Amino acid sequence: MNTYERLLLENKAWAAETVSADPGYFERLSKLQTPEFLWIGCSDSRVPANQITGTQPGEIFVHRNVANMVVHTDLNMLTVLDYAVNHLKVKHVIVCGHYGCGGVKAAMTKHNFGIINKWLMNIKDVYRFHRDEIDGIADEEKRSNRLTELNVEEQVRNLAKTSIIQKAWKDRQAPHLHGWVYGLKDGLINPVFEMPAGTHIDEIYEFDDL
């Protein structure tokens, strides 16, 4: 049996087991999506949003990319953000990174990764902003972990710079922004940064005509 065929069999078994335990589960799920949370996480397969937060399908709206980035030219991310904020009316946006992130580690090197370089450049910028602090950490793993935390903080700040978030803050005083880092070694989430709705940022990034 091919590995992908096993996935299809597991899907059938899971669906049957779910219906057996709750006959109306899929009917309810198909008619309702009212999540309170938008999750911007890493594409790493070891960090599934629902599983590590103990939530059910329909409770978290999810966007994932390499190293959980909020890039202002990323129309994919911006479309998800706009839909979550302005149509689903989420109350919280969470940027969740994870310790041991391959994207962060790659950005700390001088290696050429081809097309990936363009994406990693955004993380390298975060490194440059905090070079003195990061280079002052002797242990390689701790250095990478600290950049992971700082990168999450920077991505939360990037959210606050968008007109999408600023207009929502003006109109309905939401959503709140959160920066978390998940630990692969212990399964625990470490909250590292938070921006309540309406938090002021550098005025050069604040729009005055929303």
Side-chain angles (χ1 to χ4, degrees):
M1 179 186 299
N2 292 317
T3 54
Y4 74 88
E5 292 176 319
R6 180 175 59 83
L7 296 182
L8 295 173
L9 287 176
E10 291 290 348
N11 166 252
K12 291 179 180 178
W14 169 76
E17 182 179 347
T18 301
V19 170
S20 177
D22 182 356
Y25 177 82
F26 290 111
E27 183 178 356
R28 292 196 310 275
L29 189 64
S30 66
K31 296 178 180 178
L32 183 66
Q33 180 179 224
T34 56
E36 291 188 19
F37 311 96
L38 167 60
W39 176 281
I40 300 176
C42 184
S43 298
D44 193 301
S45 60
R46 299 169 294 178
V47 193
N50 287 116
Q51 190 169 347
I52 68 175
T53 57
T55 52
Q56 297 297 315
E59 294 187 68
I60 299 182
F61 197 59
V62 176
H63 174 77
R64 298 171 74 171
N65 60 48
V66 173
N68 42 271
M69 302 299 290
V70 176
V71 179
H72 293 293
T73 55
D74 182 357
L75 294 181
N76 187 350
M77 183 279 301
L78 291 171
T79 300
V80 172
L81 180 65
D82 183 81
Y83 185 76
V85 171
N86 293 319
H87 296 274
L88 297 177
K89 306 294 184 184
V90 295
K91 297 178 182 178
H92 303 271
V93 180
I94 299 162
V95 176
C96 187
H98 65 95
Y99 296 117
C101 179
V104 170
K105 289 182 178 180
M108 298 179 75
T109 74
K110 297 180 181 179
H111 298 317
N112 175 20
F113 295 96
I115 191 67
I116 301 173
N117 293 337
K118 298 181 183 301
W119 192 255
L120 298 181
M121 199 66 65
N122 297 288
I123 310 173
K124 286 180 179 287
D125 287 340
V126 179
Y127 189 172
R128 179 170 56 85
F129 297 157
H130 302 277
R131 182 185 299 275
D132 290 344
E133 178 184 353
I134 296 170
D135 287 351
I137 302 172
D139 181 82
E140 183 177 351
E141 181 178 3
K142 291 180 180 178
R143 191 161 59 244
S144 172
N145 287 346
R146 182 56 182 148
L147 180 55
T148 295
E149 294 172 348
L150 291 168
N151 184 56
V152 163
E153 178 178 339
E154 193 67 27
Q155 304 320 307
V156 172
R157 293 185 185 279
N158 284 344
L159 282 172
K161 294 174 186 176
T162 66
S163 59
I164 297 169
I165 292 295
Q166 290 185 32
K167 191 172 190 310
W169 281 359
K170 178 181 179 181
D171 293 345
R172 61 182 180 93
Q173 295 73 55
H176 299 297
L177 310 180
H178 309 268
W180 294 354
V181 181
Y182 173 71
L184 293 173
K185 294 182 178 180
D186 59 12
L188 298 178
I189 293 173
N190 178 23
V192 297
F193 190 63
E194 185 171 350
M195 294 185 76
T199 299
H200 284 290
I201 57 178
D202 190 309
E203 62 181 13
I204 194 62
Y205 298 113
E206 292 187 337
F207 297 95
D208 61 6
D209 56 352
L210 295 175

